Amino acid sequence: MQAINRFLTNHQYLLFVYIALAVFASLQSYFGRLDSFVPGGHLYTHYNNYIIFKQSFFHLIHGQDLYAEFIEEQGDLFKYSPTFALVFGILAILPDVVGLTLWNVLNAVVLFYAIEHLPRFTARTKGLILVFVVVELLTAMQNEQSNALIAGLFLLMFGALEKRNYWLASFFLISTIYIKLFGIVALALYLLYPGKLKLTYTTAFWVLLFTLLPLIVVDSGQFVFLYKSWGNLLSNDHSISDGLSVIGWLKSWFGWDGNKTYVSVAGAILFCIPLLRIRQYGDFTFRALFLASVMIWVVIFNHRAESPTFIIAAGGVAIWYYSQKQTTANYVLLVLAFVFTTLAPTDIFPKFVRNEWFKPYVVKAVPCILVWGKIWLDLMFGKLEEREENPVAALQE
């Protein structure tokens, strides 16, 4: 037990693990075989997502439509902002193996330091959170996704809000939005803090800056065209899939095939109702649980949610569990989330179980849906108490 506690409280070891996994995932992708998305289709690298990000920079500076199909170069569409394409140029100009590795290291390190700097969590608890999300982190990095970066930015925003550093908080929030638009949901956290005027003008400053950045390399006509093209892509993206989401769960478990908008609206209303408890805004546990609600909501109500997206939800599950007093019900849900969300896509389960049960019935999403429901109940009716640290473990920190 003492050895485990030393490992959990010595975060240098955990940082080494995070960086080592980033390098491992990068090399695994880089040296992976070429593959196609359809039988007999065009062959793409195993790190296709990184190629999409990389090529977006060159499409931007060459005056092309970022959101068009480039079948000869990449196996999917670019869906992020023009600003993301510009900033990614820092990595795009490097050899693939270097840029890919640095990209995954960035994701891992940002998430690590975001957890490391969480306010009012002990070193041991932070270590537990770092361990809890590490498998999902590896999944995200093996797919060269930006989701670990987004999870880290959400946590950094929360830490900055707690310290009333609104310039940094709004910077982290706007960064998520210009990577993936669903980051806009985290604006709801602003309601929990004083200084609304400062939050408003700091956010407006970063929005203006992030929006205008592409003008460094494109003219005004192309600038307007790109944002219109991005808007068209996002508006036409809603009906493409059900994803590992509430919508996918309702469809696969109950045969529901209604309008997705109704589910999204119902989810949004439920999400907002706890905000009516204004007197609870001064309670740290309430604020932490609302952060957890944001991080899980943006995944389970995202019709395009994939397995690599769940690093964000896993972070929310960890914040929910480790920010309040432990209960048996919460512990059971935590174990379910780890087994059936984090481990479900791995080789721990036989392939036929994953293909015949887990994938068709979106099992990966179900524990997170249950946890989000429990968070909602906690926010609405729960007696919120901060986590009680084991006295012996605390003394060993």
Side-chain angles (χ1 to χ4, degrees):
M1 189 64 180
Q2 289 184 351
I4 293 175
N5 284 327
R6 283 197 298 270
F7 177 75
L8 291 173
T9 56
N10 189 335
H11 294 173
Q12 289 182 340
Y13 294 148
L14 289 168
L15 177 59
F16 174 79
V17 170
Y18 270 49
I19 294 176
L21 287 175
V23 174
F24 166 76
S26 302
L27 295 178
Q28 182 186 48
S29 294
Y30 183 76
F31 290 107
R33 61 183 174 84
L34 297 177
D35 205 353
S36 63
F37 293 100
V38 293
H42 195 283
L43 293 176
Y44 300 103
T45 66
H46 200 68
Y47 52 99
N48 179 66
N49 286 321
Y50 175 79
I51 293 297
I52 293 172
F53 302 153
K54 170 187 173 179
Q55 290 302 115
S56 70
F57 170 72
F58 296 110
H59 298 156
L60 178 69
I61 62 176
H62 293 147
Q64 296 171 282
D65 182 0
L66 297 177
Y67 308 101
E69 291 185 349
F70 296 92
I71 297 175
E72 297 300 317
E73 301 174 10
Q74 59 199 46
D76 201 354
L77 296 171
F78 177 73
K79 298 174 182 178
Y80 297 173
S81 72
T83 300
F84 179 87
L86 175 64
V87 174
F88 208 87
I90 299 170
L91 299 177
I93 61 175
L94 299 172
D96 283 357
V97 66
V98 177
L100 173 60
T101 301
L102 290 177
W103 169 240
N104 277 331
V105 168
L106 173 67
N107 275 261
V109 169
V110 168
L111 180 60
F112 175 88
Y113 279 107
I115 295 171
E116 175 74 8
H117 288 88
L118 281 169
R120 297 172 68 165
F121 287 80
T122 66
R124 183 175 182 275
T125 301
K126 292 173 185 176
L128 288 167
I129 296 172
L130 286 165
V131 171
F132 182 81
V133 303
V134 71
V135 177
E136 287 289 358
L137 170 65
L138 179 60
T139 299
M141 294 190 299
Q142 286 174 322
N143 289 271
E144 310 89 43
Q145 290 280 16
S146 61
N147 297 303
L149 176 60
I150 291 174
L153 290 170
F154 277 147
L155 297 177
L156 287 170
M157 175 195 64
F158 176 73
L161 285 171
E162 287 293 310
K163 297 172 184 175
R164 306 298 189 264
N165 189 337
Y166 293 157
W167 279 103
L168 265 183
S170 55
F171 170 77
F172 293 136
L173 173 59
I174 299 306
S175 296
T176 69
I177 295 172
Y178 280 77
I179 299 174
K180 290 191 175 182
L181 200 60
F182 61 55
I184 201 169
V185 175
L187 279 169
L189 283 163
Y190 281 8
L191 298 175
L192 308 183
Y193 296 89
K196 304 292 192 299
L197 177 61
K198 188 172 183 179
L199 280 167
T200 300
Y201 70 71
T202 56
T203 301
F205 171 83
W206 292 119
V207 168
L208 186 63
L209 179 63
F210 276 59
T211 301
L212 297 179
L213 268 179
L215 285 172
I216 296 173
V217 295
V218 301
D219 60 31
S220 58
Q222 179 70 0
F223 172 83
V224 172
F225 168 78
L226 287 175
Y227 275 99
K228 285 184 177 179
S229 184
W230 186 32
N232 289 335
L233 174 72
L234 296 177
S235 63
N236 293 322
D237 192 43
H238 186 69
S239 62
I240 293 176
S241 68
D242 300 316
L244 299 172
S245 65
V246 170
I247 294 168
W249 171 64
L250 291 173
K251 188 173 183 178
S252 61
W253 284 47
F254 307 105
W256 184 88
D257 197 20
N259 193 318
K260 295 178 182 180
T261 302
Y262 296 155
V263 177
S264 299
V265 170
I269 293 171
L270 285 172
F271 171 80
C272 292
I273 288 176
L275 291 170
L276 297 174
R277 300 188 69 192
I278 297 174
R279 292 182 180 179
Q280 295 296 318
Y281 289 6
D283 187 321
F284 173 78
T285 304
F286 183 89
R287 298 193 300 273
L289 262 59
F290 197 78
L291 168 68
S293 175
V294 168
M295 295 180 72
I296 298 175
W297 194 95
V298 298
V299 176
I300 64 173
F301 284 93
N302 178 4
H303 69 286
R304 298 304 306 270
E306 302 171 310
S307 184
T309 317
F310 276 77
I311 179 60
I312 303 172
V317 171
I319 294 297
W320 158 73
Y321 182 80
Y322 289 110
S323 64
Q324 62 178 316
K325 186 177 180 179
Q326 303 94 314
T327 66
T328 301
N330 287 0
Y331 182 72
V332 170
L333 286 173
L334 182 79
V335 172
L336 288 175
F338 186 74
V339 173
F340 292 107
T341 294
T342 297
L343 299 182
T346 70
D347 291 336
I348 288 178
F349 291 96
K351 189 174 183 179
F352 80 91
V353 172
R354 286 179 275 139
N355 290 338
E356 300 296 326
W357 293 94
F358 288 177
K359 288 182 181 179
Y361 292 99
V362 295
V363 168
K364 187 175 180 70
V366 175
C368 291
I369 295 171
L370 295 176
V371 169
W372 188 78
K374 181 59 165 58
I375 291 173
W376 191 88
L377 292 173
D378 289 343
L379 288 170
M380 289 299 300
F381 310 110
K383 183 181 178 182
L384 303 179
E385 300 178 69
E386 289 194 45
R387 174 179 171 82
E388 294 179 357
E389 195 67 55
N390 184 302
V392 175
L395 288 173
Q396 293 171 344
E397 292 186 4

